[in-house]
Amino acid sequence: MSVVETVLGPVAAAELGEVDAHEHVFLRTPVNPGDEFLDTDRAAAELLRVAASGIRTVVDLTPVGLGRRPSQLAEVARASALHIVAATGYHRSAHYPAAHWARHADDATLLGVLVDDLQVGMDSHDWDFPRPVPSPHKAGIIKLGASYHRIDRHEERWFAAGAAAARQTGVAVAVHTEVGTAAHAALDLLDKHGVPAGRALLAHTDRNPDPELHLDLIARGAHLVYDTIGRIKYRPDSVVLDLIERMAEAGKLGHVCLGTDVGRKSSLIAYGGGPGMDVLGRDFVPRLRRRLGAAAVDTVLRHAPQALLAKKTSAP
């Protein structure tokens, strides 16, 4: 049986239902000062809206040091009746101040943090304190980050640690690509460290809506997550619908996942903003169903993310 680790324990991949493959339930980062969202009640309210929109699983791609709250994440999962798959890993270097320990830790420490989150339980203090306090809530995916058009020296070390943890535990690796750049470089680096492209989920590729590039990445085996749904400042959602249609015409829709990647409290309805984390199920999915039909919706919301998230019984 293919299994996915959620914050409330292992779940059969087929039981995940419709998956929003990129979200942040709690987040705090120096990249967006003053736009953090850490309130448990508001998180529960937001996720209740997500559940009402038809989504059944949320993949929370908040990595180490950016405001993860494992016990509260479990509380919100219970309150919303959603499956939540949490992440461990390291984001692109802009998210960590110069003095942050992740920039200076040795390779064994970088790896140990990730494996502990995946196999023991995420640290209750998100590794901000010198002595970890493991929670009973495990991560189920690894998140890494690349900078704009490049992978810097810190990110290279974090990729090595993330790849080693993925090989050891069998979980998938999600990669932040800044405006959809450095995607091939990210796959090259993961491959160098023993993680094949078929175990990678490339985020933000829709911010670089280049269908030929996307097909090239898929040809290597990668999954793409079109995850700026509802973020009209980047481009209209019709562009994403066009991309999905192009992938479907090429017979590659099984490599496409969807998400909204809400990274600011000003985008959350619970904080008085918008479009809300539920915009994927509320607005976008009906449009996709009208254009491509129910089978296409099932592919991008169920089959593709379920296959990617399932742990491999033997490391790749």
Side-chain angles (χ1 to χ4, degrees), residues 148-183:
Y148 183 57
H149 281 298
R150 69 192 186 97
I151 300 173
D152 73 21
R153 62 186 182 88
H154 297 293
E155 294 157 1
E156 286 183 354
R157 295 187 63 224
W158 299 334
F159 264 72
R167 294 197 313 271
Q168 187 169 330
T169 64
V171 302
V173 178
V175 178
H176 167 97
T177 66
E178 187 70 3
V179 199
T181 65

Side-chain angles (χ1 to χ4, degrees), residues 215 242-253 291-292:
L215 288 170
D242 291 342
L243 281 171
I244 295 171
E245 186 168 16
R246 180 71 179 274
M247 298 306 110
E249 290 170 349
K252 302 299 183 182
L253 203 55
R291 186 184 287 208
L292 293 182

Side-chain angles (χ1 to χ4, degrees), residues 27-241:
L27 186 66
R28 178 186 62 240
T29 170
V31 170
N32 299 323
D35 228 345
E36 64 277 356
F37 45 100
L38 300 169
D39 184 272
T40 304
D41 290 340
R42 292 185 181 186
E46 197 75 26
L47 286 184
L48 281 168
R49 297 180 64 91
V50 172
S53 78
I55 298 298
R56 294 292 170 259
T57 296
V58 165
V59 182
D60 182 344
L61 290 182
T62 307
V64 167
L66 271 67
R68 295 184 312 166
R69 308 179 73 199
S71 295
Q72 290 82 354
L73 203 57
E75 180 181 340
V76 169
R78 294 187 188 97
S80 63
L82 288 172
H83 298 300
I84 298 179
V85 180
T88 188
Y90 306 101
H91 212 314
R92 64 187 177 99
S93 57
H95 288 273
Y96 300 103
H100 195 279
W101 63 262
R103 290 177 174 267
H104 311 288
D106 60 33
D107 293 346
T109 299
L110 292 174
L111 174 59
V113 163
L114 306 188
V115 173
D116 281 355
D117 278 352
L118 292 160
Q119 294 188 331
V120 178
M122 291 179 286
D123 175 43
S124 296
H125 300 299
D126 197 17
W127 300 99
D128 281 343
F129 290 0
R131 295 189 179 187
V133 180
S135 75
H137 311 295
K138 297 177 184 177
I141 192 170
I142 294 165
K143 164 76 171 285
L144 301 169
S147 293
Y148 183 57
H149 281 298
R150 69 192 186 97
I151 300 173
D152 73 21
R153 62 186 182 88
H154 297 293
E155 294 157 1
E156 286 183 354
R157 295 187 63 224
W158 299 334
F159 264 72
R167 294 197 313 271
Q168 187 169 330
T169 64
V171 302
V173 178
V175 178
H176 167 97
T177 66
E178 187 70 3
V179 199
T181 65
H184 279 297
L187 294 181
D188 290 344
L189 191 52
L190 288 174
D191 182 68
K192 173 184 174 182
H193 292 294
V195 175
R199 297 300 292 152
L201 178 68
L202 299 174
H204 313 314
T205 42
D206 56 324
R207 288 189 62 189
N208 181 11
D210 180 340
E212 286 78 18
L213 170 64
H214 295 191
L215 288 170
D216 285 345
L217 295 168
I218 289 172
R220 297 183 63 172
H223 281 67
L224 314 181
V225 54
Y226 297 158
D227 52 15
T228 47
I229 305 299
R231 312 269 286 286
I232 308 306
K233 67 180 181 180
Y234 296 127
R235 35 100 203 102
D237 282 346
S238 60
V239 173
V240 184
L241 289 166

